[in-house]
Amino acid sequence: MRIDRIGRHPQHIPALAAWHHAEWGALYDDWTLDAAASELDDHATRTSLPTTLLLMDGEDLLGSVSLLIEDAPALQDRGSPWLGSLFVLPAARGRGGGRILVDAAVAHAAREGVALLRLFTLWHEDFYASLGWQVEERTSLHGTPVVIMSIVPAERVAHTEPPPHRVDDA
Ligand SMILES: CC(C)(COP(=O)(O)OP(=O)(O)OC[C@H]1O[C@@H](n2cnc3c(N)ncnc32)[C@H](O)[C@@H]1OP(=O)(O)O)[C@@H](O)C(=O)NCCC(=O)NCCS
């Protein structure tokens, strides 16, 4: 498994948008499949934020994670940027891909000079805590309990052995 930037694999954007929309579409009123694809098309134009990293096995797409300026508008007053849209294909789960994606996104954020990275999660607090994230706040989003967590990317990178997978600059 390796991490790569979405701009190198634009052919995977329609499938990825469909996965994301199936997973989270119900959470956002106006977030259509076209909107999901347009965001990923935009992310493919840069490696600075907002962007998306892919988990690849050869030419097969296994998952993705995004670094976003805004994730949920109702939580935007907590700050920016956000880690979001972490997704591993069901058939590929339980093999460490989720961990690789999160740590790669944190390392990428460190390289981009992000001082503090946040996320919100409904069910995966323990998973992120095991990767060094700390609980910042327990709140609700559209009536659903969520946990806001944060991490200092530079500190995580300094304490991760071996170094996280990184997106090369080539
Ligand atoms: C969450 C998700 C990305 C994890 O992907 P994955 O490839 O299975 O993750 P990993 O194989 O790296 O799992 C890492 C570890 O976390 C554990 N883990 C996974 N989900 C967990 C959870 N909710 N709580 C605690 N631990 C969890 C795994 O058991 C594994 O433990 P181990 O290393 O001791 O075996 C994947 O299940 C997924 O795409 N889910 C649907 C989308 C989603 O919920 N995204 C997160 C939004 S906040």
Side-chain angles (χ1 to χ4, degrees):
M1 286 188 284
R2 72 181 197 283
I3 296 292
D4 210 344
R5 53 169 126 139
I6 192 169
R8 286 204 180 113
H9 304 277
Q11 74 279 14
H12 287 313
I13 288 177
L16 190 57
W19 297 353
H20 285 186
H21 191 258
E23 187 74 29
W24 297 294
L27 287 179
Y28 301 94
D29 291 338
D30 302 327
W31 197 53
T32 62
L33 179 57
D34 281 350
S38 294
E39 285 170 17
L40 293 172
D41 281 337
D42 175 59
H43 290 186
T45 66
R46 68 175 82 76
T47 55
S48 57
L49 276 54
T51 194
T52 291
L53 305 180
L54 303 183
L55 181 69
M56 304 290 299
D57 183 5
E59 287 307 303
D60 295 337
L61 175 64
L62 299 185
S64 73
V65 67
S66 298
L67 288 165
L68 304 165
I69 304 303
E70 178 182 293
D71 197 351
L75 301 178
Q76 193 61 12
D77 61 350
R78 271 54 167 205
S80 175
W82 298 79
L83 181 149
S85 303
L86 173 67
F87 185 88
V88 173
L89 198 63
R93 289 178 191 166
R95 288 164 29 198
R99 288 177 181 275
I100 290 170
L101 278 165
V102 173
D103 270 339
V106 170
H108 195 72
R111 293 177 69 204
E112 292 293 322
V114 173
L116 188 73
L117 186 62
R118 291 184 176 81
L119 62 78
F120 72 89
T121 181
L122 285 69
W123 304 296
H124 295 94
E125 175 182 338
D126 293 347
F127 169 69
Y128 290 114
S130 76
L131 294 170
W133 292 72
Q134 298 195 330
V135 174
E136 209 170 72
E137 182 185 344
R138 296 180 193 282
T139 183
S140 69
L141 187 61
H142 308 309
T144 302
V146 298
V147 184
I148 297 175
M149 304 180 80
S150 65
I151 198 165
V152 176
E155 286 181 6
R156 174 67 184 173
V157 170
H159 293 108
T160 306
E161 279 296 334
H165 291 241
R166 55 177 276 177
V167 185
D168 62 47
D169 296 318

